[in-house]
Structures are given as structure tokens and as C-alpha cells.
Amino acid sequence: MTWNRILIFSTLLIFAPSSLLRAEEKLDCANAMTQADMNQCAHTDFEEADKELNVIWNAARERARKLDGQHDAETKGAEAALLAAQRGWIAYRDGHCELGGWEAHGGSMEPQLVWDCKAELTQERTKQLKKFVEESGH
């Protein structure tokens, strides 16, 4: 083994356990102190909001299909309209939140601003889709 490989391997052995322990720790987002932790918490909030959105998305898509089922081929379009709206909304959310991150562009806080924005808008979209499912269910 060359000295370079020994050095790399030794370095990995030294730092790997601490990074593995950190990955296993549950981050206390209510008391996040470092910007890196706040960024991670914001990302986690977005992931949770996105999971909830995906659940209601399936219900909304099923509801749109049922609406389409009440019409003949020439007058269908609820599912297509829903899909177009969702694609437009995703583009809006991502662009709007990227712009919001420019307040701290290049800084360590930029990711937090972007993830917070995406989480908030995703939660709002989930409410909109829930309303669609509930209103069109009558």
C-alpha cells in the first residue's frame, strides 16, 4: 500500500465514526443553533410538506378523473387541467423561492430561505388541493 492510500484510509477511519454518529442523531429543530442545522431543518420541513402534498395530489387526481368520467370524450379535461396547473405551480414555487433566496445569495442562509419558502408554498398548495377534493366531492 502506498503512503497516500494509508493516509487516506487512516483519515477515513478517524472521521467516519463521528459523521456516522451525526447522521444517526435526531436534529432538534426547535433548538437549532448553527446555520447548517437550520438549513437541514428547513429542508426536512419541506420534505414533510412535499410528502403531504403527494398524498393529497393522488386524491385530487383521482377526483379529477371521476369528474372526467361524468363527461364524454369531447368535454373531458379536468385531469389535464389539474396536471397543467400543478406543473405551472411547481415552476412558480421553485422560481419564486429561488428569487427569495437571493436576499442572502451566496451566504450560508440562502438554502434556509429557499427551503422555508418551498415548505410554506407547498403547505398552501396542499390546502388548495384539499379544498378541490372536498368541494368537488359533493
Side-chain angles (χ1 to χ4, degrees):
M1 212 183 250
T2 67
W3 283 108
N4 285 342
R5 287 185 182 176
I6 293 171
L7 180 61
I8 291 170
F9 184 71
S10 299
T11 303
L12 288 174
L13 287 176
I14 292 169
F15 291 108
S18 63
S19 64
L20 290 175
L21 286 175
R22 178 72 174 145
E24 291 176 7
E25 290 177 11
K26 176 77 171 139
L27 185 58
D28 181 7
C29 289
N31 297 306
M33 300 298 273
T34 68
Q35 188 60 56
D37 286 350
M38 288 183 253
N39 291 348
Q40 182 58 47
C41 290
H43 184 258
T44 300
D45 288 347
F46 166 71
E47 286 178 330
E48 290 173 7
D50 194 50
K51 284 179 189 174
E52 186 177 344
L53 176 66
N54 286 324
V55 170
I56 196 64
W57 167 255
N58 289 328
R61 196 154 189 199
E62 182 59 31
R63 186 63 193 135
R65 287 179 180 143
K66 286 180 182 176
L67 289 172
D68 278 343
Q70 299 170 3
H71 298 276
D72 57 31
E74 292 81 34
T75 60
K76 288 182 182 186
E79 185 180 14
L82 177 66
L83 186 57
Q86 191 67 7
R87 286 178 177 157
W89 174 81
I90 290 169
Y92 165 76
R93 178 200 64 193
D94 291 352
H96 178 76
C97 293
E98 181 181 345
L99 178 62
W102 276 80
E103 182 178 329
H105 184 63
S108 61
M109 189 176 170
E110 183 178 9
Q112 179 187 358
L113 294 176
V114 173
W115 290 124
D116 282 345
C117 175
K118 284 185 173 188
E120 181 181 339
L121 292 182
T122 300
Q123 291 164 351
E124 289 176 17
R125 181 63 176 160
T126 299
K127 289 177 188 174
Q128 294 167 354
L129 291 176
K130 280 182 183 178
K131 185 176 177 184
F132 166 72
V133 170
E134 292 166 0
E135 288 180 351
S136 52
H138 297 267

